[in-house]
Amino acid sequence: MAKVWLPLLLTAVLLLFSSAPRSAGGSPLHVAGRWSQPNTATFFKDRLKNSLSLTPSISSSSSSPSSLASGFTCDACKAFFEVVRELYDHGFMRDEIAKISVDVCTTLKIEDHTVCSGVISLFKDEVLTVFEKVGLGSDEACNIVVGDSCSKGYDPWHQKWSVPIPGDKPPVTHHSPEPGSPVTGVLHITDIHYDPLYTPGLTRDCGEPLCCRPPNAQGNSSTAAGYWGDYKCDVPYQTLLNLMEHLQKQGSMYEWVYWTGDMPAHSVWTTTRQGLLDMMTNITDLMSTSFGGKPVFPTYGNHEGVPVNSFPPPYITGNMSAEWLYSGSAERWAVWLDKFPEWPTINATIRKGGYYVVKVREHLKVISLQTNFCNTDNYWLLINSTDPAGQLQWLVEQLLQAERDGDKVHIIGHIAPGLHSCNPVWSSNYHLIVNRFESTIVGQFFGHTHHDSVEIHYDDKNVS
Ligand SMILES: *[C@@H]1O[C@H](CO)[C@@H](O)[C@H](O)[C@H]1NC(C)=O
Ligand SMILES: *[C@@H]1O[C@H](CO)[C@@H](O)[C@H](O)[C@H]1NC(C)=O
Ligand SMILES: *[C@@H]1O[C@H](CO)[C@@H](O)[C@H](O)[C@H]1NC(C)=O
Ligand SMILES: *[C@@H]1O[C@H](CO)[C@@H](O)[C@H](O)[C@H]1NC(C)=O
Ligand SMILES: *[C@@H]1O[C@H](CO)[C@@H](O)[C@H](O)[C@H]1NC(C)=O
């Protein structure tokens, strides 16, 4: 839901900072504080009107995020960022600029005030850090926001790296299991998007990205949220519980579980690190009770980031790093994963980059990938998108080992490589790996799209 407007909004904030004068070693902060006119909002709104006249669809009454995004043309985008640069040149402080961004966001009806100010204050630090390091101009930023039609040729993801893959692909032989071979079942659960605040009776039409929750008004006969849920809202507790009770009864159908991420609700303007870990505690408890000790193999969805999509690679250290998430989830997921002899390694690779390998049974391994390292909304990757945390290199090593040992492998992750939200260079490296290890990888399980679908990897040399 948040997909369309978020990048737009963020890039607006980003540009506020990237246009800062950059003197040797100094942060933009040292130029701040000189411009203290009281009329900042008026100044900005006048300039904004000029930009708006370029894009009738923005100033129309529609507040739908998608109509906004499609109406946000190249010219308007650049004009907008010119205004922003001027603000910066006037020496606005970071916090002032953030405040003005909230104004812009609200005035443009990108979202309402609560959502705008929540999102901007959550993203401020990430965006600042990234753009101080990267230094995009308005051409580059508009390429990211609007697409290739704006500033063709800019490559935000440095799409040139490749992971070395050893040759000697074994000949592919197809064989079906003998009739009567033992059969097992695997449960795949994904994108729960559980909303603890869901309240039946509240309106499903609240004008925010997520409704059916306080402080939304009561709905009427056609807008009231139902007891079990609503297509415009996330999942209430009773529905999650009912699902788990059902799965418990069906327990004989599966022996282990793949849980491919996105546990929280889409209320991305209110997330906190502690809130996310609390929810992880609750859902991990619920699943381990419901699945009666059957192992669950989890992976990270883009909504496990705080803020959403934020997964700093290991080159970000300190409080901005993902250490809080990795250590918090390793502790919680230990309820399943520490039963395996390779737990010390699992614990270590989760803490390094959110990925791990585990041998589920004789000749079958599960590799859980941190696909947020290909997420095009993960702005940390603008600093360096080259095989973050060395994950794909690690994947190649694991597959090589499995090939030598005659093991088969299932891969799980959240964002399927090849989707638009997965950085194309990461996707194509992944594709080459899958191709090379065609006889070792026997299953791949992803989530993210909220659709039941199948993706096909063609052999590059023989597409028949
Ligand atoms: C319900 O409320 C919405 C506004 O929230 C209104 O447009 C609609 O006409 C109302 N429907 C009924 C059946 O009262
Ligand atoms: C977790 O469970 C506790 C106790 O049942 C509850 O009070 C809390 O609201 C839950 N938190 C979330 C995020 O579901
Ligand atoms: C670390 O970051 C979190 C979230 O941004 C913040 O709540 C916390 O106060 C920070 N801690 C320190 C020591 O800076
Ligand atoms: C996991 O690794 C961390 C960091 O090395 C360590 O502090 C922790 O004790 C380990 N957890 C377990 C359960 O082994
Ligand atoms: C980006 O990361 C890769 C892999 O860690 C590293 O080899 C490369 O030097 C980095 N590039 C820059 C510009 O820092």
Side-chain angles (χ1 to χ4, degrees):
M1 235 179 291
K3 285 211 88 57
V4 181
W5 57 266
L6 209 51
L8 181 66
L9 181 56
L10 287 179
T11 311
V13 185
L14 306 181
L15 261 285
L16 291 167
F17 301 102
S18 66
S19 51
R22 231 164 280 273
S23 61
S27 96
L29 266 181
H30 75 279
V31 301
R34 271 184 277 119
W35 208 78
S36 51
Q37 297 287 72
N39 272 340
T40 57
T42 318
F43 166 83
F44 187 73
K45 277 169 193 157
D46 283 354
R47 296 314 185 88
L48 196 58
K49 264 188 209 145
N50 292 335
S51 314
L52 290 184
S53 65
L54 297 171
T55 54
S57 61
I58 293 184
S59 50
S60 82
S61 61
S62 163
S63 64
S64 136
S66 52
S67 72
L68 173 66
S70 58
F72 202 78
T73 65
C74 206
D75 282 349
C77 176
K78 287 180 182 168
F80 176 76
F81 289 122
E82 292 309 315
V83 173
V84 160
R85 170 168 299 129
E86 205 161 331
L87 271 180
Y88 213 103
D89 290 347
H90 277 94
F92 277 65
M93 304 266 289
R94 284 178 180 182
D95 281 349
E96 287 178 298
I97 292 173
K99 223 181 283 168
I100 291 164
S101 306
V102 174
D103 264 7
V104 179
C105 173
T106 315
T107 309
L108 287 181
K109 294 195 165 73
I110 293 174
E111 284 301 336
D112 71 17
H113 183 78
T114 316
V115 176
C116 286
S117 65
V119 165
I120 288 172
S121 73
L122 269 174
F123 275 92
K124 206 175 53 181
D125 287 337
E126 168 181 356
V127 154
L128 274 175
T129 313
V130 171
F131 280 79
E132 278 169 14
K133 286 181 193 254
V134 177
L136 294 185
S138 67
D139 277 4
E140 288 87 356
C142 290
N143 178 282
I144 298 175
V145 176
V146 181
D148 250 3
S149 61
C150 213
S151 321
K152 261 196 172 53
Y154 173 63
D155 168 17
W157 304 108
H158 325 299
Q159 309 182 345
K160 283 174 191 75
W161 53 275
S162 60
V163 165
I165 303 172
D168 296 331
K169 177 175 174 175
V172 178
T173 54
H174 296 280
H175 76 278
S176 306
E178 303 289 321
S181 300
V183 171
T184 190
V186 176
L187 172 68
H188 181 189
I189 188 161
T190 195
D191 294 79
I192 293 172
H193 291 296
Y194 157 52
D195 185 1
L197 295 184
Y198 184 98
T199 310
L202 299 188
T203 180
R204 66 201 290 267
D205 286 331
C206 67
E208 289 181 354
L210 181 63
C211 303
C212 311
R213 63 204 322 266
N216 297 163
Q218 285 292 323
N220 59 30
S221 57
S222 60
T223 61
Y227 178 75
W228 294 110
D230 188 290
Y231 282 119
K232 286 182 132 183
C233 300
D234 281 329
V235 171
Y237 186 68
Q238 56 269 25
T239 309
L240 180 60
L241 199 61
N242 187 271
L243 168 70
M244 291 298 158
E245 284 164 4
H246 175 75
L247 293 174
Q248 188 166 20
K249 284 186 209 134
Q250 305 295 318
S252 62
M253 292 179 70
Y254 56 91
E255 287 184 57
W256 66 89
V257 181
Y258 297 146
W259 176 24
T260 54
D262 271 12
M263 149 195 83
H266 288 86
S267 46
V268 298
W269 64 99
T270 63
T271 53
T272 62
R273 291 176 176 184
Q274 194 54 50
L276 188 112
L277 293 178
D278 289 348
M279 182 177 276
M280 193 179 273
T281 305
N282 284 15
I283 298 198
T284 302
D285 285 353
L286 183 61
M287 285 193 184
S288 47
T289 311
S290 309
F291 302 147
K294 290 190 175 108
V296 175
F297 302 105
T299 183
Y300 298 91
N302 56 310
H303 281 268
E304 269 73 62
V306 175
V308 65
N309 298 318
S310 175
F311 291 84
Y315 51 74
I316 301 295
T317 54
N319 194 35
M320 297 290 274
S321 78
E323 200 275 332
W324 68 274
L325 175 63
Y326 292 148
S327 59
S329 40
E331 282 162 21
R332 287 159 180 78
W333 297 345
V335 65
W336 300 303
L337 300 179
D338 74 0
K339 309 287 185 293
F340 294 90
E342 56 271 59
W343 164 247
T345 317
I346 298 174
N347 184 29
T349 54
I350 288 182
R351 285 164 194 266
K352 178 180 180 200
Y355 52 84
Y356 60 91
V357 59
V358 59
K359 191 161 194 158
V360 202
R361 54 171 53 193
E362 193 63 15
H363 292 308
L364 182 64
K365 285 177 164 176
V366 172
I367 293 180
S368 176
L369 293 182
Q370 171 54 294
T371 54
N372 290 293
F373 287 151
C374 83
N375 182 355
T376 51
D377 290 329
N378 182 2
Y379 292 100
W380 294 110
L381 302 182
L382 291 170
I383 297 173
N384 186 342
S385 75
T386 302
D387 192 16
Q391 179 177 222
L392 289 180
Q393 191 58 61
W394 171 88
L395 174 63
V396 168
E397 285 156 19
Q398 299 312 313
L399 289 168
L400 211 49
Q401 183 65 47
E403 185 178 86
R404 278 190 222 111
D405 298 344
D407 290 343
K408 301 295 180 189
V409 168
H410 280 180
I411 293 177
I412 65 172
H414 182 67
I415 303 176
L419 292 176
H420 282 302
S421 35
C422 183
N423 167 10
V425 66
W426 202 96
S427 283
S428 69
N429 273 286
Y430 180 83
H431 169 72
L432 293 173
I433 296 170
V434 167
N435 190 345
R436 163 64 183 81
F437 293 98
E438 179 177 352
S439 303
T440 298
I441 301 168
V442 293
Q444 301 173 64
F445 305 87
F446 299 95
H448 191 57
T449 61
H450 303 185
H451 294 291
D452 202 0
S453 59
V454 171
E455 193 177 286
I456 295 174
H457 285 262
Y458 289 97
D459 187 321
D460 300 316
K461 295 204 183 80
N462 176 10
V463 290
S464 63

